[in-house]
Amino acid sequence: MVPFDCFEEPWVIFRGKDSRAGCVQNTCAHRACPLHLGSVTDGRIQCPYHGWEYATDGVCEKMPSTHLLNVHIKALPCVEQDGLIWVWPGNEIPDAPLPSLAPPSGFNIHAQIVMELPVEHGLLLDNLLDLAHAPFTHTSTFAKGWEIPSFVKFMTPAAGLQGYWDPYPIDMEFCPPCMVLSTIGISKPGKIEGRSTQNCSTHLHQLHVCIPSSRQKTRLLYRMSLDFAPLLKHIPFMHILWRHFADKVLNEDLRLVIGQQDRMVRGANVWNLPVSYDKLGIRYRIWRNAVEDGQKQLPFSES
Ligand code: FES
Ligand SMILES: [Fe+2]
């Protein structure tokens, strides 16, 4: 069972009888007990309080010791692709294909980490889409010893949500609705090399998925892949080391972003004075404002 919140509502994902993933409301129809505190048997999630059992379509199929007809809880459409389960928390299912979030060919996944963070998902996306902060914020981790460039730019096609950082060997993309993909040229983990990712022989690829749990909470799914050292992932406890490093990097950001959130709640504008290196973050905000305004044709979309 994977419990998670999305847009303030609690959900739980589990596998049904056909072993396909299903997502139902994480609240029992009887007396609102969280279902993920129970268990899954024969493809049904069982409430731990009085044992009511629900299938992946939300229908209550078993109700021990009593009988009531037509009981069900909300269920969301689910699709599994590239090792991720997508849910659609709306009414009409869009017909657009899902973007591929698999690592590029030649890359192996080395770490997959889930974190629950006490910040609004947009503030986290703003942070992930920004590299100019690295030599000031990440001074104990990956940007230790970086020089401060005289000018930092994000180079991108006129209407794109992807591009590369000048002068860093980092390609980056915002993938709607809440993902950031980045490829970093490195000589060894944590070390930056050269000015362009093409000139680097080894690379680290990252996927960040920022799920809007609630107004001040994000569920972050992080996946890290490398196009070298394929055996590294077989070293015992390597995942603990990756987790430690990911936590350390994120904590460097988090105290600042939590601070921004505090100011935002008190009325500050977090995009008060954008400059040239803020381009990708600003484009994300333009896209997101269009979504919130209910615009049919979204900016930066290909079709
Ligand atoms: S609260 Fe779930 S069965 Fe009673
Ligand atoms: Fe950061």
Side-chain angles (χ1 to χ4, degrees), residues 88-105:
W88 178 251
N91 297 325
E92 292 149 42
I93 304 174
D95 48 15
L98 293 176
S100 171
L101 296 180
S105 70

Side-chain angles (χ1 to χ4, degrees), residues 70-294:
N70 298 329
V71 172
H72 63 93
I73 52 177
K74 278 194 268 178
L76 295 179
C78 272
V79 175
E80 197 164 351
Q81 183 181 289
D82 303 326
L84 291 155
I85 293 165
W86 294 72
V87 298
W88 178 251
N91 297 325
E92 292 149 42
I93 304 174
D95 48 15
L98 293 176
S100 171
L101 296 180
S105 70
F107 282 75
N108 284 305
I109 295 172
H110 285 254
Q112 300 199 87
I113 298 170
V114 180
M115 296 183 221
E116 301 283 350
L117 306 176
V119 286
E120 192 268 339
H121 87 292
L123 285 176
L124 189 65
L125 281 165
D126 291 342
N127 173 266
L128 294 168
L129 294 170
D130 169 30
L131 197 69
H133 73 278
F136 301 95
T137 307
H138 297 293
T139 46
S140 302
T141 56
F142 71 91
K144 196 177 190 166
W146 280 17
E147 278 174 29
I148 294 161
S150 52
F151 209 68
V152 176
K153 281 181 286 188
F154 185 71
M155 310 299 286
T156 177
L161 290 168
Q162 75 293 320
Y164 64 92
W165 286 93
D166 177 16
Y168 300 118
I170 299 181
D171 299 336
M172 195 176 272
E173 175 181 0
F174 167 63
C175 179
C178 57
M179 284 85 70
V180 181
L181 301 160
S182 54
T183 304
I184 304 168
I186 50 172
S187 52
K188 59 181 180 193
K191 199 133 201 217
I192 275 252
E193 187 187 69
R195 280 174 75 100
S196 135
T197 50
Q198 281 95 340
N199 295 341
C200 300
S201 50
T202 50
H203 303 86
L204 180 148
H205 180 78
Q206 303 187 102
L207 165 68
H208 290 88
V209 183
C210 303
I211 300 168
S213 306
S214 70
R215 273 181 214 291
Q216 296 193 2
K217 266 198 235 149
T218 301
R219 181 178 175 89
L220 173 67
L221 314 182
Y222 173 73
R223 178 187 272 173
M224 191 277 286
S225 317
L226 302 172
D227 64 355
F228 61 98
L231 299 180
L232 209 58
K233 64 179 178 182
H234 301 298
I235 296 176
F237 307 117
M238 201 59 207
H239 62 283
I240 295 175
L241 274 182
W242 288 124
R243 165 107 217 182
H244 175 71
F245 189 70
D247 277 346
K248 220 172 154 190
V249 171
L250 205 71
N251 281 328
E252 287 175 322
D253 288 312
L254 218 49
R255 66 191 190 98
L256 310 181
V257 180
I258 290 171
Q260 273 184 300
Q261 178 163 272
D262 170 77
R263 299 301 186 265
M264 185 177 81
V265 169
R266 297 199 230 178
N269 176 5
V270 295
W271 278 110
N272 202 29
L273 273 181
V275 294
S276 60
Y277 53 65
D278 291 324
K279 196 194 271 176
L280 190 55
I282 291 295
R283 288 196 180 177
Y284 156 61
R285 287 290 167 172
I286 292 171
W287 174 86
R288 178 168 160 178
N289 289 346
V291 173
E292 286 177 355
D293 287 351

Side-chain angles (χ1 to χ4, degrees), residues 25-35 47-50 52 54 73:
Q25 186 189 317
N26 191 6
T27 306
C28 182
H30 179 216
R31 281 166 56 190
C33 181
L35 296 174
C47 178
Y49 212 171
H50 313 90
W52 292 18
Y54 303 88
I73 52 177

